[in-house]
Amino acid sequence: MRGLVWKDVYLFFRSADRRTLLVIAVAIAIVLYNVGPESGLVTSMMMGLTIGIQNIMSFASDEKVRWNQYQMAMPVSSFSVVASKYISVACSLGFSFLCSMALNLVTSIVYRSFDASIWTASAILSVALPLLWTGISLPLAYWFGFQSSRIISLFLVVPMFYLIKNFEDGPGFSVMADFFQSYVFVACVMTALLFGLSMMVSVAGYRRRK
């Protein structure tokens, strides 16, 4: 299973499209310019979603080259095959966290401000969002195919967009940090349970297709 994990981690970084990275960089720059001291929180949310999307995109590339057909013939259990995907997602969380901290550091330097609640909320979201995204997308992938999952999971962007817009037009982004902090324990428990349940559903979907 270790080889499968390393393959997925390598593919995660290798399949990143330069044009997509450029678009993300421009979007982050726009947020830093327009949002203000809370830019680190908003860009961390964007980064968390991007990491989740990139994981699914890299898994979908396996299906394009018919890797799944070869994988099904390998002498590994269904659980190991699926678990390797989830472990590789967990490995990407460190990268998401480091990006979040870097974005908050840049924001703090640019605006000469430091808000511990924003840093904390950013760290939580940078880890929780990729888990949430892949926790919903991977079962869809194993039951309906990675290409279908990639399309369906994009609808998850809509509630996140409206959440950000609601705080922007309403109480402000500074309140958003306090909002996430107040529900941090519940959010962590629910995300962990969802991720674990997601893997069980994915294993069942993989065995059905196998």
Side-chain angles (χ1 to χ4, degrees):
M1 186 171 69
R2 184 182 301 175
L4 293 175
V5 173
W6 280 115
K7 186 268 296 181
D8 288 329
V9 171
Y10 171 79
L11 195 60
F12 169 81
F13 291 102
R14 183 69 178 83
S15 62
D17 184 73
R18 292 182 179 179
R19 288 174 295 181
T20 302
L21 294 176
L22 179 60
V23 170
I24 294 172
V26 172
I28 289 174
I30 293 173
V31 171
L32 287 172
Y33 180 78
N34 290 317
V35 174
E38 293 82 20
S39 299
L41 176 61
V42 179
T43 52
S44 292
M45 294 176 68
M46 293 171 55
M47 184 57 62
L49 288 174
T50 302
I51 297 298
I53 293 172
Q54 179 58 28
N55 273 305
I56 298 300
M57 295 284 283
S58 64
F59 297 154
S61 66
D62 275 355
E63 198 170 73
K64 288 183 179 179
V65 299
R66 300 182 182 277
W67 165 263
N68 290 345
Q69 294 181 7
Y70 170 75
Q71 184 174 255
M72 288 180 179
M74 295 174 63
V76 291
S77 67
S78 299
F79 179 83
S80 296
V81 169
V82 175
S84 67
K85 290 282 191 293
Y86 281 81
I87 293 173
S88 69
V89 170
C91 292
S92 71
L93 300 181
F95 178 71
S96 181
F97 174 81
L98 291 176
C99 288
S100 173
M101 295 299 97
L103 291 168
N104 275 279
L105 179 61
V106 171
T107 302
S108 297
I109 293 173
V110 171
Y111 290 98
R112 299 179 181 180
S113 65
F114 177 86
D115 190 330
S117 64
I118 290 178
W119 280 67
T120 302
S122 298
I124 295 168
L125 289 170
S126 69
V127 173
L129 286 177
L131 290 178
L132 179 63
W133 189 281
T134 51
I136 294 174
S137 299
L138 278 176
L140 293 173
Y142 280 111
W143 281 86
F144 306 108
F146 280 96
Q147 297 299 330
S148 301
S149 168
R150 185 173 59 178
I151 296 172
I152 296 172
S153 62
L154 288 177
F155 288 104
L156 295 174
V157 174
V158 177
M160 187 60 61
F161 170 79
Y162 278 105
L163 176 65
I164 295 175
K165 192 66 177 174
N166 177 65
F167 279 99
E168 181 183 12
D169 297 337
F173 290 114
S174 58
V175 179
M176 182 188 289
D178 296 329
F179 171 80
F180 283 119
Q181 275 198 312
S182 61
Y183 293 99
V184 59
F185 178 75
V186 175
C188 289
V189 172
M190 292 300 293
T191 301
L193 289 175
L194 172 65
F195 202 63
L197 177 62
S198 170
M199 186 166 67
M200 297 299 104
V201 175
S202 295
V203 170
Y206 179 79
R207 286 173 176 167
R208 181 184 67 88
R209 298 182 69 187
K210 186 174 181 180

